[in-house]
Amino acid sequence: MRAARGSECAERMPSDFGGAAVTDRSKFQEAKYYPALDGLRGVAVLMVVYGHAGYWGWVPLLPGCATIGVLLFFFLSGFLMGHHYTPDASAAAFDKATLRYWSAFLFRRFLRVYPPYLLAPIIGYVLLMPALPPDFEQSKPFSEIHIVEEISKIALFGGELGIYWTIKEELRFYLLYPLMFLAFVLLRRKAIAVFMILVALVVINHFAKVGADWPGYIAIFTAGVFTSLAMKSGFELPAFTRRANTFAPASLSAFALLVFVIGQSSPTQHMIWQLEWLFALVLFILFVSLLKSDGVLNKVLSQRVSVWIGRTSYSLYLVHIIGFHLTRNYLGASPSMMIAACLVLAALTLIYYLAVERLFVRLSKMVRVRT
């Protein structure tokens, strides 16, 4: 998949989970497109799919793999928000132009994320009748399902969301992201402001009794934003510059080692999100070194197949449990069905991407900002 060039880069939507290009060029500068980030998104979604496939017995079980894949998604989403949606110094105030910009930002992200999210379980209901999994964790007879009620719960992020809890957190971050610019206005230092927010979220996540892991989720998003802003501000370490081709694969190896070690400890989601500070540090090194390198890792992640998996990752994420259920219901659940499950999932993902997700990508690109 070739990289965007010139004005095409400004109109491209290079993210499944959080990157839209900027259309106004007066206050909001055009951002560079990194195909390796699409490759990293592909790594994240394959971690999620692999982690869930392990519970179906199709691959060796690696507990925590899916959750850490989501963590990588969140960090990447925050990075792309900072990369594509960060006003320059002249826009560090909430004037009318900036307010219009953030309104368009929120509407664009809503179109990009929410309708495909809502349509996925509806399609799941249709494909899996008469037995279907309303939360994709348990199967109930169709006669016992009140479809309107179930869809209403999903639409309002109520009840059991199964894997879709991540969409709620993604949208929460989009709502909070423009508010970070209040700190920008006060401090006049974007990177410092985001770093202070990151530290505060880590402290809240570790010491405050909030009854949920949402500070950890937002902390990982914010760590991604900070990484992007640090790079934009000209962040340089001689070691990163001279040895980026070494640091990039080394940090990815450290990330993989973390996944393996945590997987051997029978982790809970809460335990994993308590390590958000460690993952933030490893991913910071990975992203900074990867985007400064031109080595083997960068080239592998920038290959067409890697970029394509990344581009379709949101569709793959939304439908992979449906694909697993379809395979089990019609082909069987034995380990020998792994290849069949992969084929079913590939076909379902491609259809959903072309018929649903790409439609809303195009609609989101029609939203323009006039300043």
Side-chain angles (χ1 to χ4, degrees), residues 20 29 37 55 85 89 93 129 132 180 193 214 249 256 271 280 299 319 325 356 359 361 369:
Q29 298 174 350
L37 294 184
Y55 291 103
Y85 284 105
M129 287 189 292
L132 54 138
M180 288 185 184
W214 68 264
M271 169 194 163
K299 292 176 181 177
V319 304
H325 277 286
V356 177
L359 169 64
V361 169
V369 180

PDB file of all heavy atoms in Angstrom, residues 20 29 37 55 85 89 93 129 132 180 193 214 249 256 271 280 299 319 325 356 359 361 369:
ATOM      1  N   ALA A  20      -7.314  10.703  11.765  1.00  0.00           N
ATOM      2  CA  ALA A  20      -7.896  11.286  10.585  1.00  0.00           C
ATOM      3  C   ALA A  20      -7.030  12.448  10.175  1.00  0.00           C
ATOM      4  O   ALA A  20      -6.480  13.151  11.012  1.00  0.00           O
ATOM      5  CB  ALA A  20      -9.321  11.759  10.851  1.00  0.00           C
ATOM      6  N   GLN A  29      -1.648  22.058  10.906  1.00  0.00           N
ATOM      7  CA  GLN A  29      -0.701  21.706   9.871  1.00  0.00           C
ATOM      8  C   GLN A  29      -0.885  20.268   9.391  1.00  0.00           C
ATOM      9  O   GLN A  29      -1.247  19.382  10.140  1.00  0.00           O
ATOM     10  CB  GLN A  29       0.718  21.891  10.420  1.00  0.00           C
ATOM     11  CG  GLN A  29       1.016  23.333  10.804  1.00  0.00           C
ATOM     12  CD  GLN A  29       2.370  23.462  11.465  1.00  0.00           C
ATOM     13  OE1 GLN A  29       3.008  22.470  11.807  1.00  0.00           O
ATOM     14  NE2 GLN A  29       2.811  24.692  11.644  1.00  0.00           N
ATOM     15  N   LEU A  37       3.026   2.701  10.947  1.00  0.00           N
ATOM     16  CA  LEU A  37       2.006   2.766  11.990  1.00  0.00           C
ATOM     17  C   LEU A  37       0.807   1.905  11.628  1.00  0.00           C
ATOM     18  O   LEU A  37       0.163   1.312  12.499  1.00  0.00           O
ATOM     19  CB  LEU A  37       1.576   4.212  12.222  1.00  0.00           C
ATOM     20  CG  LEU A  37       2.645   5.140  12.799  1.00  0.00           C
ATOM     21  CD1 LEU A  37       2.068   6.516  13.066  1.00  0.00           C
ATOM     22  CD2 LEU A  37       3.262   4.562  14.058  1.00  0.00           C
ATOM     23  N   TYR A  55      -8.984 -18.895  23.420  1.00  0.00           N
ATOM     24  CA  TYR A  55     -10.075 -19.357  24.276  1.00  0.00           C
ATOM     25  C   TYR A  55     -11.028 -20.296  23.540  1.00  0.00           C
ATOM     26  O   TYR A  55     -11.856 -20.955  24.167  1.00  0.00           O
ATOM     27  CB  TYR A  55     -10.838 -18.151  24.835  1.00  0.00           C
ATOM     28  CG  TYR A  55     -10.038 -17.355  25.829  1.00  0.00           C
ATOM     29  CD1 TYR A  55      -9.440 -16.143  25.478  1.00  0.00           C
ATOM     30  CD2 TYR A  55      -9.846 -17.826  27.125  1.00  0.00           C
ATOM     31  CE1 TYR A  55      -8.691 -15.422  26.390  1.00  0.00           C
ATOM     32  CE2 TYR A  55      -9.098 -17.103  28.048  1.00  0.00           C
ATOM     33  CZ  TYR A  55      -8.524 -15.902  27.680  1.00  0.00           C
ATOM     34  OH  TYR A  55      -7.769 -15.197  28.582  1.00  0.00           O
ATOM     35  N   TYR A  85      -4.143  15.921  15.051  1.00  0.00           N
ATOM     36  CA  TYR A  85      -5.103  16.883  15.601  1.00  0.00           C
ATOM     37  C   TYR A  85      -4.473  17.700  16.716  1.00  0.00           C
ATOM     38  O   TYR A  85      -4.970  17.746  17.826  1.00  0.00           O
ATOM     39  CB  TYR A  85      -6.334  16.157  16.127  1.00  0.00           C
ATOM     40  CG  TYR A  85      -7.274  15.678  15.055  1.00  0.00           C
ATOM     41  CD1 TYR A  85      -7.345  14.335  14.718  1.00  0.00           C
ATOM     42  CD2 TYR A  85      -8.107  16.566  14.381  1.00  0.00           C
ATOM     43  CE1 TYR A  85      -8.209  13.883  13.740  1.00  0.00           C
ATOM     44  CE2 TYR A  85      -8.968  16.124  13.397  1.00  0.00           C
ATOM     45  CZ  TYR A  85      -9.018  14.788  13.078  1.00  0.00           C
ATOM     46  OH  TYR A  85      -9.871  14.343  12.102  1.00  0.00           O
ATOM     47  N   ALA A  89       0.805  26.891  17.729  1.00  0.00           N
ATOM     48  CA  ALA A  89       0.735  27.897  18.794  1.00  0.00           C
ATOM     49  C   ALA A  89      -0.325  28.954  18.516  1.00  0.00           C
ATOM     50  O   ALA A  89      -0.960  29.475  19.437  1.00  0.00           O
ATOM     51  CB  ALA A  89       2.105  28.549  18.974  1.00  0.00           C
ATOM     52  N   ALA A  93      -6.062  28.649  21.568  1.00  0.00           N
ATOM     53  CA  ALA A  93      -7.132  29.394  22.227  1.00  0.00           C
ATOM     54  C   ALA A  93      -8.449  28.917  21.639  1.00  0.00           C
ATOM     55  O   ALA A  93      -8.514  28.457  20.498  1.00  0.00           O
ATOM     56  CB  ALA A  93      -6.951  30.891  22.005  1.00  0.00           C
ATOM     57  N   MET A 129     -28.702 -16.373  13.719  1.00  0.00           N
ATOM     58  CA  MET A 129     -29.994 -16.920  14.102  1.00  0.00           C
ATOM     59  C   MET A 129     -30.058 -18.400  13.687  1.00  0.00           C
ATOM     60  O   MET A 129     -29.472 -18.771  12.671  1.00  0.00           O
ATOM     61  CB  MET A 129     -31.124 -16.133  13.435  1.00  0.00           C
ATOM     62  CG  MET A 129     -31.332 -14.742  14.036  1.00  0.00           C
ATOM     63  SD  MET A 129     -32.815 -13.907  13.429  1.00  0.00           S
ATOM     64  CE  MET A 129     -32.395 -13.589  11.730  1.00  0.00           C
ATOM     65  N   LEU A 132     -27.817 -17.079  18.875  1.00  0.00           N
ATOM     66  CA  LEU A 132     -26.922 -15.959  18.659  1.00  0.00           C
ATOM     67  C   LEU A 132     -26.388 -15.442  19.982  1.00  0.00           C
ATOM     68  O   LEU A 132     -27.019 -15.590  21.020  1.00  0.00           O
ATOM     69  CB  LEU A 132     -27.637 -14.824  17.923  1.00  0.00           C
ATOM     70  CG  LEU A 132     -28.943 -14.334  18.561  1.00  0.00           C
ATOM     71  CD1 LEU A 132     -28.997 -12.824  18.503  1.00  0.00           C
ATOM     72  CD2 LEU A 132     -30.099 -14.910  17.770  1.00  0.00           C
ATOM     73  N   MET A 180      -7.855  18.867  26.641  1.00  0.00           N
ATOM     74  CA  MET A 180      -6.432  18.995  26.934  1.00  0.00           C
ATOM     75  C   MET A 180      -5.896  20.362  26.507  1.00  0.00           C
ATOM     76  O   MET A 180      -4.923  20.874  27.066  1.00  0.00           O
ATOM     77  CB  MET A 180      -5.634  17.904  26.216  1.00  0.00           C
ATOM     78  CG  MET A 180      -5.812  16.511  26.780  1.00  0.00           C
ATOM     79  SD  MET A 180      -4.705  15.333  25.962  1.00  0.00           S
ATOM     80  CE  MET A 180      -5.240  13.804  26.733  1.00  0.00           C
ATOM     81  N   ALA A 193       2.173  19.984  29.207  1.00  0.00           N
ATOM     82  CA  ALA A 193       0.788  19.862  29.669  1.00  0.00           C
ATOM     83  C   ALA A 193       0.308  18.421  29.598  1.00  0.00           C
ATOM     84  O   ALA A 193      -0.291  17.893  30.549  1.00  0.00           O
ATOM     85  CB  ALA A 193      -0.127  20.770  28.838  1.00  0.00           C
ATOM     86  N   TRP A 214     -10.660   3.074  34.118  1.00  0.00           N
ATOM     87  CA  TRP A 214     -10.676   4.102  33.076  1.00  0.00           C
ATOM     88  C   TRP A 214      -9.491   5.070  33.153  1.00  0.00           C
ATOM     89  O   TRP A 214      -9.009   5.524  32.105  1.00  0.00           O
ATOM     90  CB  TRP A 214     -11.996   4.879  33.076  1.00  0.00           C
ATOM     91  CG  TRP A 214     -12.230   5.755  34.270  1.00  0.00           C
ATOM     92  CD1 TRP A 214     -12.942   5.453  35.394  1.00  0.00           C
ATOM     93  CD2 TRP A 214     -11.741   7.083  34.451  1.00  0.00           C
ATOM     94  NE1 TRP A 214     -12.920   6.498  36.267  1.00  0.00           N
ATOM     95  CE2 TRP A 214     -12.202   7.521  35.720  1.00  0.00           C
ATOM     96  CE3 TRP A 214     -10.973   7.949  33.682  1.00  0.00           C
ATOM     97  CZ2 TRP A 214     -11.910   8.783  36.230  1.00  0.00           C
ATOM     98  CZ3 TRP A 214     -10.676   9.217  34.194  1.00  0.00           C
ATOM     99  CH2 TRP A 214     -11.146   9.615  35.449  1.00  0.00           C
ATOM    100  N   PRO A 249      13.736  -2.723  16.790  1.00  0.00           N
ATOM    101  CA  PRO A 249      13.458  -4.144  17.020  1.00  0.00           C
ATOM    102  C   PRO A 249      13.681  -4.565  18.469  1.00  0.00           C
ATOM    103  O   PRO A 249      12.995  -5.458  18.978  1.00  0.00           O
ATOM    104  CB  PRO A 249      14.425  -4.862  16.078  1.00  0.00           C
ATOM    105  CG  PRO A 249      15.499  -3.876  15.773  1.00  0.00           C
ATOM    106  CD  PRO A 249      14.852  -2.540  15.835  1.00  0.00           C
ATOM    107  N   ALA A 256       7.187  -7.789  23.217  1.00  0.00           N
ATOM    108  CA  ALA A 256       6.781  -9.182  23.063  1.00  0.00           C
ATOM    109  C   ALA A 256       7.113  -9.993  24.314  1.00  0.00           C
ATOM    110  O   ALA A 256       6.330 -10.859  24.743  1.00  0.00           O
ATOM    111  CB  ALA A 256       7.460  -9.796  21.839  1.00  0.00           C
ATOM    112  N   MET A 271      -4.927  -6.176  36.420  1.00  0.00           N
ATOM    113  CA  MET A 271      -3.476  -6.293  36.619  1.00  0.00           C
ATOM    114  C   MET A 271      -2.719  -5.680  35.445  1.00  0.00           C
ATOM    115  O   MET A 271      -1.728  -4.952  35.633  1.00  0.00           O
ATOM    116  CB  MET A 271      -3.092  -7.758  36.765  1.00  0.00           C
ATOM    117  CG  MET A 271      -1.587  -8.012  36.717  1.00  0.00           C
ATOM    118  SD  MET A 271      -1.192  -9.748  36.496  1.00  0.00           S
ATOM    119  CE  MET A 271       0.524  -9.646  35.956  1.00  0.00           C
ATOM    120  N   ALA A 280       3.727   2.170  28.670  1.00  0.00           N
ATOM    121  CA  ALA A 280       3.899   3.502  28.087  1.00  0.00           C
ATOM    122  C   ALA A 280       5.376   3.775  27.804  1.00  0.00           C
ATOM    123  O   ALA A 280       5.722   4.324  26.753  1.00  0.00           O
ATOM    124  CB  ALA A 280       3.335   4.564  29.026  1.00  0.00           C
ATOM    125  N   LYS A 299      10.645  -1.518   7.479  1.00  0.00           N
ATOM    126  CA  LYS A 299      10.305  -1.993   6.138  1.00  0.00           C
ATOM    127  C   LYS A 299       9.259  -3.107   6.181  1.00  0.00           C
ATOM    128  O   LYS A 299       8.357  -3.157   5.350  1.00  0.00           O
ATOM    129  CB  LYS A 299      11.565  -2.470   5.421  1.00  0.00           C
ATOM    130  CG  LYS A 299      12.537  -1.331   5.090  1.00  0.00           C
ATOM    131  CD  LYS A 299      13.817  -1.847   4.462  1.00  0.00           C
ATOM    132  CE  LYS A 299      14.778  -0.704   4.165  1.00  0.00           C
ATOM    133  NZ  LYS A 299      16.061  -1.171   3.614  1.00  0.00           N
ATOM    134  N   VAL A 319     -15.677  -7.800  13.781  1.00  0.00           N
ATOM    135  CA  VAL A 319     -16.382  -9.005  13.304  1.00  0.00           C
ATOM    136  C   VAL A 319     -15.692 -10.303  13.671  1.00  0.00           C
ATOM    137  O   VAL A 319     -16.224 -11.372  13.368  1.00  0.00           O
ATOM    138  CB  VAL A 319     -16.576  -8.953  11.766  1.00  0.00           C
ATOM    139  CG1 VAL A 319     -17.301  -7.683  11.354  1.00  0.00           C
ATOM    140  CG2 VAL A 319     -15.246  -9.081  11.028  1.00  0.00           C
ATOM    141  N   HIS A 325     -17.866 -17.554  15.781  1.00  0.00           N
ATOM    142  CA  HIS A 325     -19.147 -18.224  16.004  1.00  0.00           C
ATOM    143  C   HIS A 325     -19.653 -18.899  14.732  1.00  0.00           C
ATOM    144  O   HIS A 325     -20.179 -20.016  14.774  1.00  0.00           O
ATOM    145  CB  HIS A 325     -20.193 -17.225  16.514  1.00  0.00           C
ATOM    146  CG  HIS A 325     -20.136 -16.986  17.987  1.00  0.00           C
ATOM    147  ND1 HIS A 325     -20.584 -17.900  18.915  1.00  0.00           N
ATOM    148  CD2 HIS A 325     -19.686 -15.930  18.699  1.00  0.00           C
ATOM    149  CE1 HIS A 325     -20.423 -17.418  20.138  1.00  0.00           C
ATOM    150  NE2 HIS A 325     -19.867 -16.223  20.031  1.00  0.00           N
ATOM    151  N   VAL A 356     -19.256  -1.567   4.712  1.00  0.00           N
ATOM    152  CA  VAL A 356     -19.687  -0.760   5.855  1.00  0.00           C
ATOM    153  C   VAL A 356     -18.629   0.284   6.232  1.00  0.00           C
ATOM    154  O   VAL A 356     -18.872   1.482   6.124  1.00  0.00           O
ATOM    155  CB  VAL A 356     -20.007  -1.660   7.071  1.00  0.00           C
ATOM    156  CG1 VAL A 356     -20.389  -0.788   8.282  1.00  0.00           C
ATOM    157  CG2 VAL A 356     -21.131  -2.627   6.742  1.00  0.00           C
ATOM    158  N   LEU A 359     -17.572   3.042   3.750  1.00  0.00           N
ATOM    159  CA  LEU A 359     -18.647   4.001   3.520  1.00  0.00           C
ATOM    160  C   LEU A 359     -18.588   5.135   4.540  1.00  0.00           C
ATOM    161  O   LEU A 359     -18.678   6.320   4.190  1.00  0.00           O
ATOM    162  CB  LEU A 359     -19.996   3.287   3.600  1.00  0.00           C
ATOM    163  CG  LEU A 359     -21.233   4.189   3.638  1.00  0.00           C
ATOM    164  CD1 LEU A 359     -21.353   4.990   2.347  1.00  0.00           C
ATOM    165  CD2 LEU A 359     -22.489   3.356   3.871  1.00  0.00           C
ATOM    166  N   VAL A 361     -16.008   5.936   6.411  1.00  0.00           N
ATOM    167  CA  VAL A 361     -14.755   6.673   6.232  1.00  0.00           C
ATOM    168  C   VAL A 361     -14.963   7.799   5.231  1.00  0.00           C
ATOM    169  O   VAL A 361     -14.558   8.947   5.454  1.00  0.00           O
ATOM    170  CB  VAL A 361     -13.628   5.731   5.763  1.00  0.00           C
ATOM    171  CG1 VAL A 361     -12.414   6.540   5.311  1.00  0.00           C
ATOM    172  CG2 VAL A 361     -13.224   4.771   6.868  1.00  0.00           C
ATOM    173  N   VAL A 369     -13.819  21.768   7.626  1.00  0.00           N
ATOM    174  CA  VAL A 369     -13.665  22.839   8.596  1.00  0.00           C
ATOM    175  C   VAL A 369     -13.411  24.142   7.858  1.00  0.00           C
ATOM    176  O   VAL A 369     -12.484  24.222   7.062  1.00  0.00           O
ATOM    177  CB  VAL A 369     -12.490  22.551   9.552  1.00  0.00           C
ATOM    178  CG1 VAL A 369     -12.330  23.673  10.555  1.00  0.00           C
ATOM    179  CG2 VAL A 369     -12.697  21.227  10.262  1.00  0.00           C
TER     180      VAL A 369
END
